[in-house]
Amino acid sequence: MWENQSLFRVSAQLFADGVFNLLDRALKPEIFLLGIASARETDEPQAVLIEPQNHRYAGPDFAAVKDHAVALEPDGPREVVYHLHQLDHDRYEKQRWYELLRRATEHTLHELVARRQEDRVSFCSTPVSTGGYQVLIVLQLSAEAYHNYYALPGPTVPNRPAALLAATIEELLLDASRALRESDHADDDRLVLNRDYNEVLRAAGRRFMLRAAAGSHGLYDACNGVAALRHEGDEGVGTMLISRRNHPAVVPVLMLDTPVPLRDHRRIRKLLELSEDRHALITDATDVFGLGYLVEPDDAQYEPLFTVHFTKHYSWELSHDGHRMMKVVSNTPRLPQGTIDEGNFTKAVGRIFPALDAAGIAYLWELTLNAAKQEHGTILLISEGAAQEAVRLSPQCFRVTPRLMTPSVLRLVTNIDGAVLIEPSGTCHAIGAILDGLATEKGDSSRGSRYNSVLRYVESSRYPVLAVVVSEDGWIDLLPPVWR
């Protein structure tokens, strides 16, 4: 298609890896390029090309894409927008055709994935014309990991993604398409896909919050501004309900004569002290106009609404209908991974310690739930070599007389820094352990020292090991991660 197509695809793949690994490594992104010749029929040689050339899909798999795009045209007369300038009208018609081609390609990929029974979900960029081809950037993710996260129900709304993950996909494909258009004009030493990964996620967070705010801009940044403030030395903790005025599902308790603009962060932070239990500030994403609460789900007037929970300094979460959809820490959004799924935990324990019976797994699960309640963070390290590691790490831990760890004792010993070393049987050998390990390429600079030190230890451990990492910002991780 063009000279540097392999270099561009590799750059796009590294870019996707960097962005989605910050959200969930189990997503396993894959990028490939699909080129459809502009002036050839799709059944002609070289009419459909794929980069890389040894990809599992081949050109003939997409031979009917153009026909399918034509079939997506609505029957009967369609609304036609005419522009005064012919070039503007031609540009409009070209963009409309490109959108049909994108939808047809996604539909073809869905059929291919279903026919081959692949655990993938596919997304396509709008085509970019280069080298005589209409080039689509295709992103595929693990379907199981993708569908593991809650998304807003109902039909798709253009430019209003139904989840943070969907917003991130849109943002990444837009960046990649922009880079592809610029690649022909860029100098050889210029990095085209050089946007900071966390900045991509922040842009995705703003894009997703437009859905919660019904199109009003500024809600994402307003929440960050409020979360950054203290009131009389206390952290901002409270709830804000996003609702239109006079919503039948919201019971008002106190209404302000003069609404407070959301951009007035200090006054909003002070008003946040009013929210408690069910009662929350009510905002239409532009102003805060009162205090109230949402009716119970069994009420005839009930409707799921977005809720912003300010959890601590610099931290807040967005929820919908009881589902946490986005967690923002220090202005950077992440997917909600604050809890451990029992099924994933059971799968991980069964894989790493196959000799452990159901009762043993249940006991470890009980200990894990108790460790997860530690507000200041902790590490529960389950290792077949716990006894040997306690001896090796004795200069940097407190060795204890071996005893069965119980939830009540675990609650006490996790009050100090360091890891708690136990065997799969639940026998404890050390507390307050400072872990070591070799540097690994799987490290994540956006995460804290606790997470990365455990990751280094797990990656270089000589024994089968499973670590439960509870970070101070509320994140909970299983290491090594469970590939869903």
Side-chain angles (χ1 to χ4, degrees), residues 246-324:
N246 303 315
H247 196 294
V250 178
V251 179
V253 174
L254 191 69
M255 303 301 291
L256 300 174
D257 278 345
T258 305
V260 180
L262 271 180
R263 64 178 179 273
D264 193 342
H265 301 159
R266 289 196 175 277
R267 296 178 71 193
I268 299 298
R269 171 63 192 89
K270 187 172 183 177
L271 286 173
L272 198 62
E273 295 293 308
L274 300 177
S275 64
E276 186 177 281
D277 299 329
R278 293 178 61 195
H279 297 86
L281 296 183
I282 311 172
T283 178
D284 58 2
T286 301
D287 304 306
V288 167
F289 52 85
L291 182 74
Y293 62 88
L294 186 64
V295 299
E296 296 294 338
D298 56 359
D299 192 295
Q301 300 292 338
Y302 176 79
E303 179 184 330
L305 297 176
F306 285 99
T307 306
V308 176
H309 301 274
F310 295 93
T311 55
K312 60 193 302 185
H313 202 211
Y314 290 110
S315 300
W316 56 276
E317 298 173 351
L318 180 71
S319 301
H320 181 267
D321 198 19
H323 300 274
R324 290 195 309 156

Side-chain angles (χ1 to χ4, degrees), residues 86-343:
Q86 182 61 37
L87 291 179
D88 290 338
H89 186 71
D90 291 345
R91 188 180 300 112
Y92 168 79
E93 289 294 323
K94 183 173 71 172
Q95 291 301 320
R96 188 185 62 80
W97 167 248
Y98 279 179
E99 175 60 19
L100 292 174
L101 196 61
R102 184 196 67 79
R103 289 169 52 196
T105 304
E106 280 194 355
H107 186 270
T108 301
L109 284 164
H110 295 334
E111 290 182 338
L112 278 172
V113 166
R115 189 163 60 246
R116 301 185 181 197
Q117 298 182 336
E118 297 174 332
D119 177 39
R120 308 301 279 167
V121 59
S122 306
F123 306 92
C124 297
S125 71
T126 302
V128 176
S129 182
T130 182
Y133 285 84
Q134 294 163 354
V135 181
L136 297 98
I137 303 164
V138 180
L139 168 67
Q140 289 191 318
L141 302 171
S142 164
E144 189 173 355
Y146 177 81
H147 293 299
N148 191 50
Y149 296 100
Y150 175 78
L152 297 175
T156 302
V157 180
N159 300 317
R160 296 291 184 268
L164 174 63
L165 192 49
T168 305
I169 292 167
E170 288 185 16
E171 198 68 31
L172 182 135
L173 289 176
L174 280 173
D175 268 12
S177 297
R178 190 181 303 115
L180 179 56
R181 281 192 294 271
E182 295 174 355
S183 61
D184 288 339
H185 311 290
D187 298 331
D188 291 340
D189 58 348
R190 177 184 170 192
L191 290 173
V192 179
L193 278 169
N194 60 347
R195 195 177 182 189
D196 181 76
Y197 302 149
N198 282 311
E199 178 54 37
V200 174
L201 295 179
R202 284 190 282 271
R206 292 187 182 92
R207 181 185 291 269
F208 176 44
M209 284 295 276
L210 286 174
R211 180 73 176 267
S216 297
H217 290 265
L219 180 58
Y220 179 88
D221 293 308
C223 291
N224 283 321
V226 173
L229 297 177
R230 295 179 182 268
H231 178 66
E232 297 182 352
D234 294 333
E235 294 182 340
V237 177
T239 307
M240 194 162 61
L241 197 61
I242 304 173
S243 163
R244 69 177 185 272
R245 294 173 185 265
N246 303 315
H247 196 294
V250 178
V251 179
V253 174
L254 191 69
M255 303 301 291
L256 300 174
D257 278 345
T258 305
V260 180
L262 271 180
R263 64 178 179 273
D264 193 342
H265 301 159
R266 289 196 175 277
R267 296 178 71 193
I268 299 298
R269 171 63 192 89
K270 187 172 183 177
L271 286 173
L272 198 62
E273 295 293 308
L274 300 177
S275 64
E276 186 177 281
D277 299 329
R278 293 178 61 195
H279 297 86
L281 296 183
I282 311 172
T283 178
D284 58 2
T286 301
D287 304 306
V288 167
F289 52 85
L291 182 74
Y293 62 88
L294 186 64
V295 299
E296 296 294 338
D298 56 359
D299 192 295
Q301 300 292 338
Y302 176 79
E303 179 184 330
L305 297 176
F306 285 99
T307 306
V308 176
H309 301 274
F310 295 93
T311 55
K312 60 193 302 185
H313 202 211
Y314 290 110
S315 300
W316 56 276
E317 298 173 351
L318 180 71
S319 301
H320 181 267
D321 198 19
H323 300 274
R324 290 195 309 156
M325 299 196 70
M326 178 170 68
K327 179 172 183 174
V328 181
V329 179
S330 299
N331 193 21
T332 304
R334 293 289 188 269
L335 290 172
Q337 296 176 326
T339 59
I340 298 177
D341 179 73
E342 185 176 3

